[in-house]
Amino acid sequence: MPELLHPPAPHRSEAARNGASTVLGQARVGMVHDWLPVYGGAERVLEQMLQVVPSASLFSLIEFLEDEQRAFLNGRPVATSFMQRLPWARKAYRYYLPLAPLAIEQFDLRAYDVVVSSSYVVAKGVLTTAEQLHVSYVHSPVRYAWDLYFQYLKDGQAERGLKGLIARLVLHYLRLFDASSASRVDVFVANSKYVARRIWKTYRREAEVIYPPVDTDAFSLYEHKEDYYLTLSRLVPYKRIDLIVEAFSQMPDKTLVVIGDGPEAARLRDLAGPNIIFKGYQSQEVVHDHMQRARAFVFAAHEDFGIVPVEAQACGTPVIAYGRGGARETVLDGETGLFFHEQSADALQDAVQRFEAQRGAWEPGRIRDHALSFSVDRFRSAFAALLEREYASFLSTQHA
C-alpha cells in the first residue's frame, strides 16, 4: 500500500491571528485539486479560491507546472500523491487514471476543520470525518465516464478489442467511484446551472451555482470591429474547431482567424480553405487584440461553462455559439450573440447569415456590461459568502 501523505502543518489565517470575527477566519482549511499539469480553466478557479482562503494548504495528485505557470500559487507548497513519483508521470499522468481514486484517498486531512475540493475527476473523493465540513466545487462530473463515454471510446479508437475492453472496465470503475464518493461531500457547488443539473442526474444531490471567475479587467471594450471572425481554443476534437473550419471554408467571402494549437492542427489545416488564417499559439496580448477587433467570436463546443466566450464579450465582441451547455447561461441570444442549435456546418452558416443580417443591432457596451456579471470580484464575494454561511451552519450542528 502507498504511504499516507501527511499534510503541511495547517495554520490560522491572518484574520484569525488579528482577532477578526469572521467565522471562517477561525478555521483551518485544506484545499484539494485533481491535478496540476498546466494552468487552465479549472486552475483559474482554484487561483481565486486561494485568494478567498489565503491560509489554505493545497493538495493535488500531481504538480508539473512550468515556472511561469506557477505564479498563481504565490510560492505556496503543493502536497502531492504517490502518482507524482511514478515513471513518466509528467507526460503520461493520464494513463495512471485507474490509480487516481486510490491516490486521492491517501491524503491525510484530519488536521483541517474545512476541506474544499476543486473537482472534475476524483478530488471530491477525499476522506474526511464527521467533524469536518467538506465543500466541493464541481467543474463537472467526470465527463468521459458519463456524458462523453461513447464519444471518448470512439475518439480513442477503443470501441472494440482488448483496448476497448480495458477502457470500458476502467471507466466503469471510475463511474462507481464517482457516484459512491458523492456521499462524502457535505455541500456541492456547481460552475453553472447546466452542471448543477448534471450533478443531480449523476449524484441526486442539489448544488448551489457560482459561476467561474473571468478576468474581465484583463479585456477592454473596443467598439470598432473589423471584417473577420475569430475562434480560439486548444485544437482537440471535442472543441469542434473542425466544424467551424468546414463552415467558413464554404463561405469564401468571410475570413476566419483560428488561434490555438493542439493535436488537431495538421488535420484542420488540410480541411481549411484559403480564407482560414491559422495563427497557432499566441500571447495574451495578441489574443486580446484579436478579440477586440473581431466582428464576432465563434464557439462550437458543448462546454460546461466556457470562459473564452465571456472574455470575448468583455471586449464588446458578440458571440456565435452552439446553444447547448454553459453557453446558454453566458450568451444572451439576440442581445450579446446568437445561437445555432445543431453541431453542423449548415447550422453555423445559417447563424452567421442571421448575425450579419442584424449587423447594426449589436451594441459593444451592452455586451461588455453583460460580461462583467462574471467578474473575479463577483466570484470571490459569492464563494466567500458560501463558505462563511456553510461553516457557521456546520458549527451550529456540531454544538447542538
Side-chain angles (χ1 to χ4, degrees):
M1 291 291 292
E3 60 181 354
L4 280 177
L5 182 70
H6 292 283
H11 52 284
R12 301 289 183 179
S13 70
E14 188 67 33
R17 289 195 296 272
N18 291 338
S21 61
T22 60
V23 175
L24 191 63
Q26 309 301 317
R28 296 163 296 180
V29 181
M31 201 165 290
V32 185
H33 190 68
D34 284 303
W35 41 41
L36 289 166
V38 296
Y39 177 73
E43 289 67 43
R44 296 187 193 189
V45 179
L46 175 65
E47 178 178 13
Q48 299 308 322
M49 288 180 175
L50 292 171
Q51 291 293 321
V52 171
V53 193
S55 62
S57 301
L58 180 59
F59 300 78
S60 178
L61 293 177
I62 61 167
E63 191 271 292
F64 292 119
L65 296 168
E66 300 294 337
D67 290 342
E68 63 273 14
Q69 297 176 324
R70 198 174 284 113
F72 82 96
L73 297 176
N74 292 319
R76 182 190 310 271
V78 181
T80 57
S81 75
F82 66 83
M83 289 178 64
Q84 179 84 11
R85 301 182 294 278
L86 293 176
W88 310 292
R90 178 182 290 271
K91 297 291 186 182
Y93 67 93
R94 292 186 184 277
Y95 289 99
Y96 292 124
L97 178 63
L99 298 176
L102 174 64
I104 206 70
E105 292 180 340
Q106 305 314 304
F107 287 132
D108 182 359
L109 303 172
R110 291 173 296 171
Y112 298 94
D113 304 305
V114 178
V115 173
V116 178
S117 58
S118 165
S119 185
Y120 56 95
V121 186
V122 296
K124 77 177 192 335
V126 293
L127 300 179
T128 56
T129 71
E131 287 73 40
Q132 296 172 293
L133 173 68
H134 180 185
V135 177
S136 186
Y137 189 97
V138 176
H139 306 275
S140 172
V142 190
R143 295 205 71 182
Y144 43 82
W146 297 100
D147 302 58
L148 297 182
Y149 173 64
F150 295 104
Q151 181 180 328
Y152 178 80
L153 294 175
K154 181 180 179 180
D155 291 344
Q157 298 181 333
E159 294 178 286
R160 298 181 178 82
L162 180 61
K163 181 180 179 181
L165 176 62
I166 293 172
R168 291 171 191 272
L169 287 172
V170 168
L171 294 176
H172 175 70
Y173 163 61
L174 189 58
R175 276 194 297 274
L176 293 176
F177 176 82
D178 191 40
S180 64
S181 64
S183 64
R184 305 176 189 182
V185 176
D186 297 303
V187 180
F188 274 102
V189 186
N191 72 352
S192 65
K193 295 176 184 176
Y194 173 66
V195 167
R197 290 193 296 271
R198 292 179 57 229
I199 288 172
W200 174 254
K201 173 70 174 179
T202 307
Y203 310 138
R204 286 297 188 259
R205 295 285 301 277
E206 298 284 353
E208 181 164 335
V209 175
I210 299 180
Y211 290 116
V214 181
D215 189 4
T216 52
D217 290 343
F219 297 85
S220 53
L221 177 65
Y222 191 80
E223 299 191 357
H224 305 291
K225 305 304 179 183
E226 298 183 15
D227 196 21
Y228 67 89
Y229 292 82
L230 174 70
T231 191
L232 163 69
S233 173
R234 178 160 169 74
L235 304 184
V236 292
Y238 87 94
K239 294 291 188 179
R240 297 311 313 268
I241 305 301
D242 59 332
L243 183 157
I244 301 173
V245 168
E246 178 186 354
F248 276 86
S249 293
Q250 296 171 12
M251 298 185 289
D253 58 321
K254 298 173 180 32
T255 300
L256 173 70
V257 175
V258 180
I259 296 180
D261 203 353
E264 290 273 282
R267 186 176 79 88
L268 292 172
R269 290 176 187 274
D270 289 341
L271 290 174
N275 59 321
I276 314 295
I277 301 170
F278 289 88
K279 294 283 188 178
Y281 174 82
Q282 295 292 332
S283 68
Q284 187 64 19
E285 291 76 15
V286 173
V287 167
H288 186 186
D289 176 63
H290 278 77
M291 276 189 172
Q292 284 183 315
R293 295 185 291 110
R295 176 181 290 184
F297 182 81
V298 186
F299 187 73
H302 186 172
E303 289 276 24
D304 300 311
F305 177 73
I307 287 177
V308 179
V310 180
E311 293 176 337
Q313 291 173 85
C315 297
T317 300
V319 176
I320 301 173
Y322 177 48
R324 293 284 301 277
R328 294 190 63 84
E329 299 169 55
T330 61
V331 179
L332 301 178
D333 193 24
E335 294 184 50
T336 69
L338 284 177
F339 292 138
F340 57 98
H341 298 285
E342 179 183 300
Q343 281 182 314
S344 69
D346 288 344
L348 176 52
Q349 289 171 15
D350 175 70
V352 171
Q353 291 168 2
R354 287 187 287 117
F355 173 82
E356 295 202 342
Q358 302 177 43
R359 183 175 301 191
W362 309 107
E363 301 179 14
R366 168 73 181 92
I367 294 170
R368 176 170 169 80
D369 286 345
H370 171 64
L372 296 180
S373 64
F374 300 95
S375 69
V376 168
D377 287 344
R378 187 265 329 151
F379 173 85
R380 289 184 186 176
S381 176
F383 191 64
L386 177 135
L387 291 180
E388 290 280 350
R389 183 191 73 223
E390 295 297 337
Y391 190 53
S393 175
F394 176 77
L395 288 178
S396 69
T397 62
Q398 292 290 298
H399 298 149

